[in-house]
Amino acid sequence: MALKDAVPLSPPLEEEATAAPQKRSMKRKRLTRLVSQEDIMEVDHRSTSPPRSVSEFDECTTERKNNQFVNPLSCPNMKKVHVAALRLEAELQPLRSILTRLMGHQTHNRKGIFNVPVDAEALGLKDYHRIVPKPMDLGTVKRRLHSMEYQSKDQAVSDIRTTFLNAMRFNPPQHPIHEAAKELLIYFEQAYMNVEGVKDKSFSIMVPVAMQPAQAVSSPESGPLPSLSAPAASLEASEGSNTPAAGDNPLVEPLPGGGALIFQPLEIPRKTSKLPPFLPHSCSSCQGRTCPLCQQGCLLHEPALMVCHGVHCGGARLRKGTMYYVSADGNRHFCERCYTNLTPVLPGVSENDPCRYKRDLLKRSNNEEIAEKWISCNKCAVGVHAICAMHNGNVEDDSKYLCMECEGSRQGIAVSALSSTPAPSLNGFTYVSGSDTPVSVDSVGFARGPALNSESLPECAISEFIQSKVAKCMKAVPNADKTITVRVISDADRSFSIPEVVRKHFRMATENGVSIDPPSEVNYRQKAITLFQKFDGLDVCIFCMYVQEYEGDHKYQSGMEEGQSLPSHKRRVYIAYIDSVEHFRPRECRTEVYHEILVSYLATARARGFETAHIWACPPSRGNSFVFWNHPSSQRTPNQDRLLNWYHGALSKAIGCGVVTDVKSLYSEFESYLSELESATNEQRGRMICPPLLDGDFWIEEAVRVHEACLARNIKVRAPTEVCVWNVTPLLSSELDPCPALQLAALIKDRVMTHPASVPFRRPVNAAAMKLQNYHEIVKKPMDLGTVYAQCVVGEYHSLGQVVDDVELMVSNAKRFNPVGHFVHTKADEVLSLFYKELAALVTIWDASTGAKEESKSWEVYAGMSMSLDERMEIISPNLKSASVFIEDDRSCDESRSLNSASLYSVPSSPVLSALSFKGNETDQELKISVPCNKMDKQSRRGKGRGKARRGSLSPKTQEPPKKLDLIADGPAAVMQRMVGQDFWMLDKRNAAAPPQSSTNGTKRRRSSCSSTVSVASSFEEPATKRRRQAWVGEEVSEAVRRMRTSFFTCSLRPKSTPSSSEQEKMQEFELYTAEFDRKKTSCLDMSSPICDARHALLEFSQYRCLEFDTLRRAKYSTAILLYHLNNTDAPGVVPQCSACDGVIKEVRWHKVRKATEKRRITKFMKPIAPEPEYHQEELCGCCHSQHAEKEQFIPIPVSLKRT
């Protein structure tokens, strides 16, 4: 027997259980009766159940260990409140969308004049409250509507009408506000008629049109006044809220103090559509039924989130009804536009990726429609929504479900030990739908047995301190602080791997000045702090914040000794994600409460010894979610400015409490690291000091992106024409770049890649286009000349030996895949021989430059030479006569001749060279060649100019720095000033940073016909800012961080060494603020849950179980399921199971898509519609999907959840 069957019935329901069942229609009428406020406040203390024994408590403990799910609606009083809340929310839901359109009307409410209350004192309207007895505005209506304070939709409709009627009462008919209110009133009435389904073509409503002075008011004895028209009279009879209170005269309303308002009927035309109506909705899930609990029909869930990973969309959500392409692992999606521009090999794939090629992508249509689950009563076959009934299908049997009426009318109900206890007196309070003040939980009821409430979760010192601080913020509303609960639902150790790019281009500096490589793995502890609030006796998760705490115990491969510490990587915390839903009440305390949660947590972090806090203010894109799945449609997604203002307010509050001692941008650390590059030693100069390593931080992802983009740009070097004309020209040593890495890059690009034998090796092998099915199985590490050249240009190689190894790897790969005698096999040996010969010529120049007494016989002498971009070599011409090769049509990818691409010295034994002699003194002369002019040089010769060149400046010199603000006294404005630092131009929004101006001025780039004679030797003397250095990754990342410097907060939590008097006062305030925090109870909870240990895991679990937070009814159900799995970590329903083999699904879940139901209109010649086939939800593993006959009906969804 299910646990919910053992709950005792209240006396009124017991009488119904003993009575004979009547007609089904009468039962439904009795079930659909709305619960009044008196019924909610009524407390039923009558109980004939005996007290519990010790054995009965043991039985409850055993049942909880067996993962039993007790429906929270087991209490009869809670059932009444729950049903009333469902129906009230269903009534008010259509008005939310109408109200949103009214508040954002672009014509008549453009400036939001109806969205805020009228400030009569500020506007000097002395007689406003005399004429308008009941002020109202749309903002107040929105607050009450979203807080569920209205007891019926009629109250909300009356307030909306009052808003516009007040504007028409006070302003004369020709006034713009009067006309705007009139048009908005008509717009509202038409929209409301469509919602209510009114069939009348038009009706009238009484509106004020004029005001009479006191002496002109008619009395009842003065004669009859015009009567109302028939439509208006019927309307006023049906809606008493619109009848003017004018005594015996319905058209004139006297005003207090004299005067009167004249009312006339306003005709409200109904917008009728010429198209025929749609057929009533009926699908295989709802079968045309209406839920008796919420009185709604078929409701739809939000399908799984899919975003486009193409370069054009940039993470935008895929539009509904469009075609898209998805990889077999479900990790990458592309819209049709981005799919067209994809390369045959997908970008950013690893060697072991199962979907590497464009041809492997699956084509699907984004038209899924997920209906809410319906369950039918086992006795009367009445169908209800599973969410309305709070039914957990993974634990409870759907076939044994009994509706509320059948459960109350059953005969011979067994009473178990679980239900034999009287109702305890609970100290909590809860908000009730239809009321604006909290009521006692005893009035609503409670869920018996292992209740699904937030109080059952374990407490810790952090949650107790935060809850006490939040409760103080809500003291203005009586008992509102007793409706909230703060808990840490996850506290587990985690780690993440550092990308190889970061470890290669950044360094760590210890306190004794020793430089080491960044760690390979960073460890931290992640906490999930949540805020719960009770609505109608059930908990709703309102707010969630994921934080990361770094102790500094990272995994270093070498160089880190015990006892050493890193100055920039001490104990710190990172506010990773913050998300909330708008169901919180009271709404006026929402921002203050959320600020208090952040500030109080930072206070606990400082009390536990953490020194720095990092925050990245990154707003989510529209439709995407951080923590909660599917926010309410009326909840606005904050833009960047709004989110920054929110954090400025929170941090100014933290400064006022003494928690935060200083605020600056993350770019300030980059500035100090860039300045240290100039004074660093030769070993340290090539790499920037690594900024703080935080999981999911912006700068780490940006470093990887910049590195990949630079490599991709340099790999695609322009290949010369197939027919090359080889001319013998003398080579001067002054044509070589001082950097050995760039010399080697020029050798590969201009001497090797221009040879006809190098054609198969210039670009990466396109196995997809060439249809080489097993290429990546044979060649584990592909390599080509373009990749070697790109890695030389960006400084990826440490020594010359690594460059030679990659060239040899390229040749061995070609010989391994192609048999002996194959064209590519033969050309591979020829390219390797050519490379060695050209390298030997370069070695000859190095011997002369280094002053070697004897000529090196092999390049191996220089195998350890550094390939850093900061390495410099003074080039000295060797004392030998030789010839060099000049290759015609040798141009770089930008159509211009490369200055350092002239050919190198070659040994006389080269097969393509002929021995030529030239005068020795020619090497000492300055070589002059003709090169294209740069248009930027021409602009510099013209002067500063006008227009774009001056407007594009990022830091105008004419702007004076603003007055320096005090961080303690000046609040959010001082925080913003500290964030911009020296870039004070960011404070002016009008001086937005313009994109860099192109040198072509918007025209197509062509080869310039202008040429001038310049010195090649002088051309290498580039400014330090233009020349690429070994630390180029850090420099480019720092520029990206600078553009977004206001979004990266670095908050100091440690007191200053020499505090001022005001700072000493803040230190005392911090001690008072944290007096309630128990610093002895700072041990970790070790509370781990597979669904809450990671933010993406909670989102994945919510999408799999369709746990949404867009409405209050769904938020209650989703929170109940979440609390159940937090209390029962091994309960079923977390990890997906295959519908065919009942096995656990790993890595990829193949989900069967249910296509949207086609809407058809009622026409005279329509054919009968065949019934829709019944839809059965299917989730298949990879093995079962490969054997399915209809594979195209499934889409892949990645799975990361694992069974504990």
Side-chain angles (χ1 to χ4, degrees):
M1 180 177 57
L3 274 171
K4 62 183 180 64
D5 297 340
V7 178
L9 300 176
S10 59
L13 292 181
E14 288 180 0
E15 296 176 1
E16 295 182 7
T18 56
Q22 300 178 1
K23 294 183 179 180
R24 184 62 56 193
S25 59
M26 297 297 297
K27 291 184 177 181
R28 290 184 180 177
K29 288 182 180 180
R30 185 168 61 253
L31 181 62
T32 56
R33 181 180 61 89
L34 287 175
V35 183
S36 63
Q37 189 70 17
E38 290 75 11
D39 295 334
I40 295 174
M41 301 297 298
E42 204 176 71
V43 182
D44 186 9
H45 297 287
R46 292 175 293 177
S47 178
T48 58
S49 303
R52 290 174 114 183
S53 61
V54 177
S55 60
E56 293 169 351
F57 281 102
D58 296 339
E59 184 179 351
C60 295
T61 305
T62 304
E63 290 173 341
R64 179 168 182 173
K65 290 182 179 179
N66 292 334
N67 298 328
Q68 293 289 342
F69 178 84
V70 176
N71 196 307
L73 303 182
S74 303
C75 176
N77 289 340
M78 184 173 288
K79 287 181 182 179
K80 298 179 182 179
V81 178
H82 180 66
V83 171
L86 292 178
R87 296 172 184 172
L88 180 60
E89 185 179 16
E91 281 188 357
L92 299 180
Q93 188 66 30
L95 294 178
R96 294 188 179 185
S97 60
I98 299 177
L99 183 64
T100 302
R101 285 179 281 169
L102 290 173
M103 298 183 69
H105 202 281
Q106 295 297 323
T107 304
H108 304 293
N109 195 17
R110 181 177 299 177
K111 296 183 179 180
I113 56 177
F114 300 100
N115 298 346
V116 293
V118 176
D119 193 349
E121 296 182 2
L123 298 176
L125 308 177
K126 298 181 180 180
D127 57 345
Y128 179 79
H129 293 286
R130 182 181 67 87
I131 301 175
V132 180
K134 182 183 176 183
M136 186 56 60
D137 60 282
L138 298 182
T140 303
V141 177
K142 179 181 177 180
R143 177 181 60 81
R144 296 179 179 177
L145 189 63
H146 289 267
S147 299
M148 302 285 290
E149 297 179 9
Y150 292 113
Q151 296 184 6
S152 65
K153 62 180 179 181
D154 295 336
Q155 295 180 357
V157 170
S158 176
D159 282 352
I160 295 176
R161 288 172 176 163
T162 302
T163 301
F164 304 126
L165 291 177
N166 288 344
M168 300 175 69
R169 290 169 66 99
F170 187 78
N171 299 279
Q174 302 302 327
H175 197 276
I177 296 181
H178 183 104
E179 296 297 328
K182 176 181 176 182
E183 295 297 331
L184 289 177
L185 180 61
I186 296 175
Y187 180 85
F188 167 72
E189 295 294 345
Q190 290 175 346
Y192 184 62
M193 280 192 295
N194 292 333
V195 171
E196 291 296 308
V198 179
K199 297 182 180 180
D200 296 336
K201 292 185 178 181
S202 63
F203 67 92
S204 301
I205 185 172
M206 302 300 297
V207 296
V209 294
M211 180 182 296
Q212 289 183 353
Q215 61 273 15
V217 178
S218 302
S219 60
E221 293 81 3
S222 60
L225 293 175
S227 60
L228 291 171
S229 60
S234 61
L235 177 71
E236 296 299 331
S238 60
E239 299 185 10
S241 60
N242 295 321
T243 304
D248 298 333
N249 191 351
L251 293 179
V252 178
E253 178 185 350
L255 296 176
L261 288 174
I262 300 177
F263 286 79
Q264 288 184 1
L266 175 64
E267 189 76 13
I268 307 295
R270 173 174 171 79
K271 289 186 178 181
T272 58
S273 176
K274 297 181 180 180
L275 298 176
F278 287 104
L279 287 172
H281 174 80
S282 178
C283 61
S284 59
S285 298
C286 66
Q287 300 176 3
R289 296 175 291 182
T290 300
C291 178
L293 300 181
C294 67
Q295 295 181 346
Q296 297 183 89
C298 188
L299 301 176
L300 300 179
H301 283 296
E302 188 72 15
L305 176 65
M306 292 182 292
V307 296
C308 180
H309 294 81
V311 294
H312 296 288
C313 296
R317 193 168 186 174
L318 292 175
R319 291 186 299 175
K320 192 172 183 180
T322 59
M323 303 300 297
Y324 69 96
Y325 298 84
V326 58
S327 59
D329 56 358
N331 290 321
R332 293 182 298 276
H333 302 79
F334 302 95
C335 64
E336 289 186 302
R337 178 190 177 189
C338 296
Y339 174 81
T340 305
N341 299 325
L342 282 178
T343 57
V345 179
L346 297 181
V349 296
S350 59
E351 297 180 2
N352 300 325
D353 201 310
C355 185
R356 301 189 60 177
Y357 306 116
K358 179 180 178 180
R359 67 188 181 199
D360 296 334
L361 296 177
L362 307 176
K363 186 177 182 180
R364 296 292 185 267
S365 177
N366 188 20
N367 60 348
E368 184 176 11
E369 195 175 74
I370 304 177
E372 279 195 13
K373 182 180 177 181
W374 289 74
I375 53 176
S376 300
C377 178
N378 187 27
K379 187 174 181 180
C380 64
V382 173
V384 297
H385 293 128
I387 294 180
C388 295
M390 302 293 290
H391 180 78
N392 188 356
N394 292 84
V395 180
E396 299 176 292
D397 190 359
D398 296 349
S399 61
K400 297 182 180 179
Y401 170 76
L402 294 178
C403 65
M404 296 172 55
E405 189 171 346
C406 294
E407 186 179 3
S409 60
R410 287 180 303 131
Q411 300 292 335
I413 300 177
V415 180
S416 65
L418 183 63
S419 62
S420 58
T421 178
S425 178
L426 303 179
N427 297 324
F429 281 75
T430 178
Y431 274 98
V432 177
S433 299
S435 175
D436 58 348
T437 57
V439 299
S440 175
V441 178
D442 290 336
S443 304
V444 178
F446 68 100
R448 300 175 183 268
L452 301 178
N453 51 52
S454 56
E455 290 85 355
S456 61
L457 299 176
E459 295 184 77
C460 63
I462 297 177
S463 63
E464 292 177 357
F465 177 75
I466 296 177
Q467 182 169 345
S468 64
K469 291 299 180 182
V470 171
K472 293 180 180 179
C473 297
M474 305 175 64
K475 287 293 185 181
V477 181
N479 299 322
D481 57 321
K482 299 179 182 179
T483 63
I484 55 102
T485 305
V486 178
R487 288 293 185 271
V488 178
I489 61 175
S490 176
D491 189 2
D493 292 324
R494 296 185 62 83
S495 63
F496 71 100
S497 300
I498 303 300
E500 193 64 26
V501 176
V502 176
R503 302 188 70 249
K504 184 177 293 186
H505 290 270
F506 293 87
R507 61 184 175 90
M508 309 285 285
T510 60
E511 292 182 345
N512 55 5
V514 179
S515 297
I516 60 175
D517 293 336
S520 58
E521 188 174 341
V522 174
N523 302 320
Y524 64 92
R525 193 165 188 87
Q526 181 168 266
K527 291 181 172 62
I529 303 173
T530 54
L531 172 68
F532 298 89
Q533 190 172 27
K534 287 190 180 299
F535 295 94
D536 305 314
L538 298 174
D539 280 293
V540 175
C541 190
I542 297 290
F543 177 90
C544 184
M545 179 173 66
Y546 275 88
V547 297
Q548 302 170 4
E549 300 176 352
Y550 295 83
E551 300 283 351
D553 51 343
H554 310 321
K555 293 183 180 180
Y556 293 89
Q557 292 184 354
S558 61
M560 189 68 179
E561 300 178 0
E562 293 187 10
Q564 289 184 343
S565 60
L566 304 173
S568 60
H569 292 260
K570 292 183 179 180
R571 303 188 66 187
R572 62 196 186 278
V573 297
Y574 178 46
I575 310 300
Y577 300 98
I578 293 180
D579 199 3
S580 65
V581 289
E582 64 172 6
H583 303 307
F584 181 82
R585 295 173 64 183
R587 292 177 64 89
E588 58 268 16
C589 299
R590 181 172 53 176
T591 301
E592 185 180 1
V593 167
Y594 296 165
H595 282 176
E596 190 64 39
I597 294 176
L598 178 59
V599 173
S600 55
Y601 168 75
L602 294 179
T604 61
R606 176 177 174 178
R608 289 179 290 138
F610 291 95
E611 300 179 356
T612 310
H614 297 274
I615 301 174
W616 176 18
C618 177
S621 58
R622 181 65 179 171
N624 295 354
S625 303
F626 275 163
V627 179
F628 298 105
W629 171 234
N630 195 12
H631 291 70
S633 58
S634 57
Q635 182 173 350
R636 293 187 298 175
T637 302
N639 55 17
Q640 187 68 29
D641 293 338
R642 185 179 180 88
L643 186 62
L644 288 178
N645 293 334
W646 190 90
Y647 277 111
H648 292 162
L651 294 180
S652 62
K653 183 175 183 179
I655 295 171
C657 298
V659 177
V660 175
T661 58
D662 191 14
V663 178
K664 61 182 181 180
S665 175
L666 180 64
Y667 179 70
S668 301
E669 299 187 24
F670 278 90
E671 284 183 317
S672 61
Y673 298 155
L674 289 173
S675 61
E676 290 182 7
L677 283 175
E678 306 300 332
S679 59
T681 61
N682 292 334
E683 297 180 358
Q684 300 175 352
R685 189 173 299 171
R687 296 191 293 174
M688 181 189 292
I689 296 179
C690 185
L693 297 170
L694 307 171
D695 190 6
D697 201 8
F698 167 79
W699 78 266
I700 299 179
E701 299 177 358
E702 181 67 12
V704 176
R705 187 198 66 81
V706 166
H707 184 266
E708 292 179 352
C710 188
L711 280 179
R713 268 195 320 267
N714 288 281
I715 286 177
K716 297 179 180 179
V717 291
R718 181 182 182 275
T721 57
E722 297 180 1
V723 180
C724 298
V725 181
W726 295 67
N727 297 322
V728 179
T729 56
L731 175 66
L732 298 178
S733 58
S734 58
E735 295 183 358
L736 294 179
D737 192 281
C739 179
L742 298 182
Q743 295 175 15
L744 203 59
L747 180 146
I748 296 173
K749 176 178 175 292
D750 300 322
R751 298 294 300 171
V752 180
M753 296 181 66
T754 52
H755 196 277
S758 66
V759 173
F761 309 99
R762 291 171 183 169
R763 300 278 181 90
V765 176
N766 192 344
M770 301 176 67
K771 299 181 180 181
L772 307 177
Q773 300 291 342
N774 58 345
Y775 178 80
H776 292 285
E777 297 178 2
I778 300 175
V779 179
K780 300 299 182 182
K781 186 179 180 182
M783 186 57 61
D784 60 281
L785 290 175
T787 302
V788 176
Y789 165 78
Q791 292 185 357
C792 287
V793 171
V794 301
E796 285 296 297
Y797 293 113
H798 291 293
S799 62
L800 175 62
Q802 294 181 354
V803 182
V804 178
D805 291 341
D806 277 356
V807 175
E808 293 178 348
L809 175 63
M810 176 196 68
V811 175
S812 63
N813 288 342
K815 298 173 68 174
R816 182 184 299 112
F817 187 78
N818 301 280
V820 178
H822 193 274
F823 171 78
V824 177
H825 191 282
T826 304
K827 294 301 179 182
D829 292 331
E830 188 175 347
V831 169
L832 183 62
S833 176
L834 177 62
F835 173 76
Y836 279 136
K837 291 176 182 179
E838 300 298 338
L839 182 58
L842 184 59
V843 169
T844 304
I845 300 178
W846 288 347
D847 289 339
S849 301
T850 56
K853 297 181 180 180
E854 297 181 0
E855 184 177 329
S856 299
K857 298 182 180 180
S858 175
W859 63 269
E860 295 179 356
V861 178
Y862 297 94
M865 176 184 288
S866 174
M867 290 288 106
S868 173
L869 297 180
D870 296 333
E871 189 73 19
R872 293 292 180 268
M873 176 185 294
E874 185 179 357
I875 302 299
I876 300 177
S877 176
N879 189 15
L880 68 93
K881 294 182 179 181
S882 179
S884 179
V885 175
F886 173 77
I887 302 171
E888 192 172 304
D889 198 16
D890 179 21
R891 294 185 296 272
S892 61
C893 58
D894 60 351
E895 298 289 341
S896 62
R897 175 68 192 275
S898 176
L899 295 179
N900 60 347
S901 65
S903 305
L904 308 176
Y905 281 95
S906 302
V907 294
S909 59
S910 178
V912 296
L913 299 180
S914 59
L916 294 176
S917 60
F918 56 92
K919 297 180 181 180
N921 58 359
E922 290 182 359
T923 58
D924 300 330
Q925 298 177 357
E926 190 177 38
L927 179 65
K928 296 181 181 292
I929 62 175
S930 177
V931 297
C933 272
N934 193 345
K935 294 187 178 181
M936 295 301 293
D937 296 337
K938 292 191 293 182
Q939 290 182 2
S940 63
R941 290 195 295 269
R942 295 194 196 105
K944 293 183 179 180
R946 298 180 179 180
K948 295 183 179 179
R950 298 186 65 181
R951 289 196 299 268
S953 176
L954 296 182
S955 54
K957 297 181 180 180
T958 58
Q959 186 175 357
E960 297 180 359
K963 179 183 177 181
K964 187 176 181 180
L965 303 177
D966 185 23
L967 194 60
I968 297 178
D970 294 328
V975 175
M976 181 62 181
Q977 190 182 81
R978 291 281 295 171
M979 291 296 295
V980 300
Q982 297 299 323
D983 297 330
F984 51 84
W985 53 270
M986 291 185 174
L987 297 174
D988 188 5
K989 295 182 179 180
R990 296 172 297 176
N991 189 20
Q997 299 297 326
S998 174
S999 60
T1000 58
N1001 294 330
T1003 59
K1004 186 176 181 180
R1005 178 162 42 183
R1006 296 179 180 178
R1007 186 185 301 183
S1008 176
S1009 60
C1010 175
S1011 62
S1012 62
T1013 304
V1014 295
S1015 173
V1016 178
S1018 62
S1019 66
F1020 291 122
E1021 298 176 1
E1022 299 177 0
T1025 55
K1026 292 184 179 180
R1027 190 180 187 88
R1028 186 187 295 274
R1029 299 190 295 183
Q1030 186 64 27
W1032 66 273
V1033 175
E1035 292 172 350
E1036 292 196 18
V1037 170
S1038 64
E1039 287 299 321
V1041 173
R1042 182 184 182 184
R1043 291 191 295 266
M1044 303 171 55
R1045 66 177 303 165
T1046 57
S1047 301
F1048 305 105
F1049 298 87
T1050 301
C1051 310
S1052 176
L1053 303 180
R1054 58 178 180 269
K1056 296 183 179 180
S1057 55
T1058 56
S1060 60
S1061 58
S1062 59
E1063 291 172 348
Q1064 291 179 357
E1065 294 178 0
K1066 293 302 177 183
M1067 293 174 61
Q1068 296 177 359
E1069 291 185 14
F1070 170 74
E1071 296 298 331
L1072 295 176
Y1073 184 82
T1074 57
E1076 301 177 9
F1077 180 63
D1078 191 356
R1079 307 191 182 190
K1080 298 180 181 180
K1081 296 172 57 179
T1082 57
S1083 58
C1084 301
L1085 283 176
D1086 289 331
M1087 182 178 180
S1088 178
S1089 174
I1091 61 177
C1092 296
D1093 287 347
R1095 187 264 316 180
H1096 62 85
L1098 181 56
L1099 266 180
E1100 179 185 332
F1101 172 72
S1102 300
Q1103 293 182 15
Y1104 168 59
R1105 296 286 301 273
C1106 295
L1107 304 179
E1108 302 174 348
F1109 291 83
D1110 58 334
T1111 59
L1112 190 59
R1113 61 184 286 273
R1114 288 179 174 175
K1116 294 176 186 177
Y1117 178 79
S1118 302
T1119 305
I1121 299 298
L1122 176 63
L1123 290 172
Y1124 171 74
H1125 285 283
L1126 289 176
N1127 289 321
N1128 304 275
T1129 56
D1130 57 342
V1134 176
V1135 181
Q1137 290 186 343
C1138 181
S1139 304
C1141 63
D1142 294 334
V1144 176
I1145 300 178
K1146 300 179 181 179
E1147 296 182 355
V1148 181
R1149 168 171 62 97
W1150 292 91
H1151 167 70
K1152 186 177 181 180
V1153 176
R1154 177 188 174 181
K1155 297 183 179 180
T1157 305
E1158 181 182 1
K1159 294 183 178 181
R1160 300 188 62 179
R1161 297 184 182 273
I1162 302 176
T1163 60
K1164 184 184 301 184
F1165 307 101
M1166 64 180 303
K1167 298 180 180 180
I1169 302 176
E1172 182 181 351
E1174 187 175 358
Y1175 170 78
H1176 297 282
Q1177 183 178 358
E1178 291 187 53
E1179 307 291 340
L1180 301 180
C1181 60
C1183 182
C1184 296
H1185 174 262
S1186 61
Q1187 302 174 2
H1188 201 277
E1190 300 176 344
K1191 299 183 180 62
E1192 64 278 357
Q1193 296 185 1
F1194 294 81
I1195 59 173
I1197 299 177
V1199 174
S1200 62
L1201 294 172
K1202 299 180 180 179
R1203 180 172 294 175
T1204 56

